[in-house]
Amino acid sequence: MVLCQGGEGDAAPAAGRKEPEVPPGREDRADAVQPYLCPAPGVEAAGAEEPPSCGCCSGMSWPCCCGASGTKKKAACPGLGLFYTILSAFLFSVASLFLKKIEDVHAVEVSAFRCVFQMAFILPGLIYYKTGFLGPKGKRIFLFFRGFFGSTAMVLLYYAYQVMPLADATVITFTSPVFTSLLAWIFLKEKYSLWDLLFTLFAVTGVILIARPPFLFGSRVTGIEGNYTDHLKGTIAAITSTLSAASTIVILRKMGKSVHFFLSIWYYAVIGLIGCVIVLFVLNEWHLPHCGRDRVFLVLIGVLGLGGQIFLTKALQIEKAGPVSIMRTMDVVFAFILQVLFLNHLPTWWTVGGALCVVASSSGTAIRKWLHSVKKAKQREI
């Protein structure tokens, strides 16, 4: 596959000059011009040397192909990135459903199995790309905290799925973009406008409608799965998971493109596994599922979670981050549908109202960042 960068006025090199190579694992920021993949026979890695012609332009030479300034980019299949996003959302939702169906298995143990599965997938990639297992010395502390916050977010989210309605936990996780903007403003000095503040208030309102604290809604709270104590614990776990996930994104922005993304995932899996094993021994909860069905569910959670990550990554490679972020709200839709069909739990109007607030907040945040990146891209063209 060839990584073609288009849309910049000074992007086309002069005739006879060699196109600058893109290092493997490069991750473009949201405000950068988005690359897209063009199939070219004989080229397998992103860092490989470019041939004199581009496969997506019917063999035309470089100055006239899709990467040249002023030429129109053509997607191989319009809407493919959005389809990948919907498929990713569906796989994540089904994995969450299986987690709800598992009996007598602690959320920390499920997370440990997920980490083992992820390590087995990432290890060949580390060996192939020769990234090492520790990373650059100056980035190891960031990699450690990335792994710590990322694994913490996973464990707490799994716990929230187990003790509260599936749709409620899913909706709360979609406040992550809002909290990411807030943390980026605090730690990275990124711009935080009044619109961002408004979206944050919308997100907090949605969480309150889902949690329904008794001091606001009275002592008799209806439509709760199980008892209210577990519902409140699950809400706190989901919010903390969201904050941890937002912290992870801020750390990844801080590291930039100097660390291969396989190494970042490796830290996430290793630190998560170590932490899960310690917690399981402290809680004395380590045991294999007694039921064969639960063992199958554990494997499927790992497979579906990995598949969701792969399709989401592919979507971000061929589609802009804004549309992908908006389409990811399909997670909420799938969660509501699966909850009604397989868990026989009808959502209340409070939950629906909270979901609308959170979806509006996360979508608004994504649209603003998308428009901002488009504006910066046009400025670079000028």
Side-chain angles (χ1 to χ4, degrees):
M1 306 293 286
V2 181
L3 191 63
C4 296
Q5 183 81 29
E8 296 186 28
D10 55 351
R17 290 178 57 186
K18 184 179 179 181
E19 181 189 1
E21 296 182 359
V22 180
R26 175 182 175 184
E27 298 177 6
D28 292 291
R29 296 177 181 172
D31 59 352
V33 178
Q34 295 292 327
Y36 58 100
L37 295 177
C38 304
V43 181
E44 299 180 355
E49 187 171 309
E50 299 284 341
S53 63
C54 179
C56 65
C57 302
S58 305
M60 297 173 66
S61 60
W62 164 253
C64 300
C65 80
C66 61
S69 174
T71 58
K72 185 178 181 180
K73 296 184 291 185
K74 294 183 179 179
C77 180
L80 183 61
L82 299 182
F83 171 75
Y84 283 155
T85 307
I86 296 175
L87 184 57
S88 169
F90 178 75
L91 294 178
F92 282 136
S93 299
V94 175
S96 304
L97 175 66
F98 288 151
L99 182 62
K100 290 285 291 184
K101 289 293 211 178
I102 288 181
E103 300 176 357
D104 300 327
V105 181
H106 200 278
V108 180
E109 187 174 354
V110 178
S111 303
F113 275 99
R114 171 75 183 273
C115 290
V116 171
F117 195 90
Q118 203 156 340
M119 288 173 62
F121 174 79
I122 292 298
L123 186 59
L126 294 177
I127 297 174
Y128 177 79
Y129 287 109
K130 300 179 181 179
T131 60
F133 297 95
L134 296 178
K137 289 184 178 180
K139 303 293 182 179
R140 291 175 185 175
I141 184 65
F142 295 111
L143 285 168
F144 172 81
F145 281 111
R146 181 266 183 272
F148 175 77
F149 284 118
S151 57
T152 300
M154 175 182 62
V155 173
L156 293 176
L157 180 60
Y158 282 1
Y159 175 77
Y161 281 144
Q162 287 187 335
V163 300
M164 69 185 301
L166 177 63
D168 292 11
T170 303
V171 169
I172 293 176
T173 61
F174 270 82
T175 59
S176 180
V178 180
F179 289 119
T180 300
S181 299
L182 181 61
L183 293 178
W185 171 60
I186 296 173
F187 295 103
L188 301 181
K189 308 303 179 184
E190 293 186 5
K191 185 179 179 181
Y192 191 80
S193 65
L194 290 177
W195 280 106
D196 294 314
L197 177 60
L198 179 63
F199 294 143
T200 302
L201 295 177
F202 260 93
V204 172
T205 302
V207 172
I208 291 175
L209 292 176
I210 292 172
R212 281 164 286 184
F215 66 88
L216 290 178
F217 292 83
S219 58
R220 295 183 179 180
V221 181
T222 59
I224 299 297
E225 182 181 277
N227 59 71
Y228 183 76
T229 301
D230 287 341
H231 182 83
L232 184 60
K233 289 180 180 178
T235 302
I236 295 173
I239 295 173
T240 308
S241 170
T242 300
L243 290 172
S244 298
S247 301
T248 300
I249 296 175
V250 171
I251 292 172
L252 290 173
R253 288 184 184 177
K254 181 68 175 178
M255 287 193 300
K257 308 167 189 173
S258 58
V259 177
H260 198 284
F261 70 95
F262 268 6
L263 191 61
S264 175
I265 300 175
W266 172 257
Y267 266 81
Y268 166 82
V270 171
I271 294 176
L273 179 61
I274 294 173
C276 288
V277 170
I278 293 174
V279 172
L280 287 172
F281 274 108
V282 171
L283 298 177
N284 195 23
E285 288 283 351
W286 182 267
H287 59 83
L288 286 175
H290 300 292
C291 176
R293 186 191 68 171
D294 287 348
R295 298 179 185 180
V296 173
F297 282 165
L298 281 175
V299 175
L300 289 176
I301 288 172
V303 172
L304 293 173
L306 182 59
Q309 288 287 351
I310 291 174
F311 281 112
L312 182 59
T313 302
K314 290 179 69 66
L316 289 170
Q317 286 178 337
I318 60 179
E319 185 60 79
K320 292 184 181 295
V324 170
S325 299
I326 297 171
M327 194 59 66
R328 279 210 64 198
T329 56
M330 287 297 296
D331 276 10
V332 177
V333 178
F334 288 134
F336 275 104
I337 295 175
L338 294 176
Q339 177 175 295
V340 173
L341 292 180
F342 298 99
L343 302 177
N344 297 320
H345 183 80
L346 292 174
T348 64
W349 287 110
W350 295 112
T351 299
V352 174
L356 292 176
C357 288
V358 171
V359 169
S361 174
S362 60
S363 299
T365 303
I367 291 173
R368 281 199 72 251
K369 291 188 177 297
W370 177 28
L371 294 177
H372 179 69
S373 65
V374 171
K375 182 179 178 181
K376 292 193 71 173
K378 289 182 178 179
Q379 290 175 349
R380 289 176 180 175
E381 288 180 359
I382 295 175

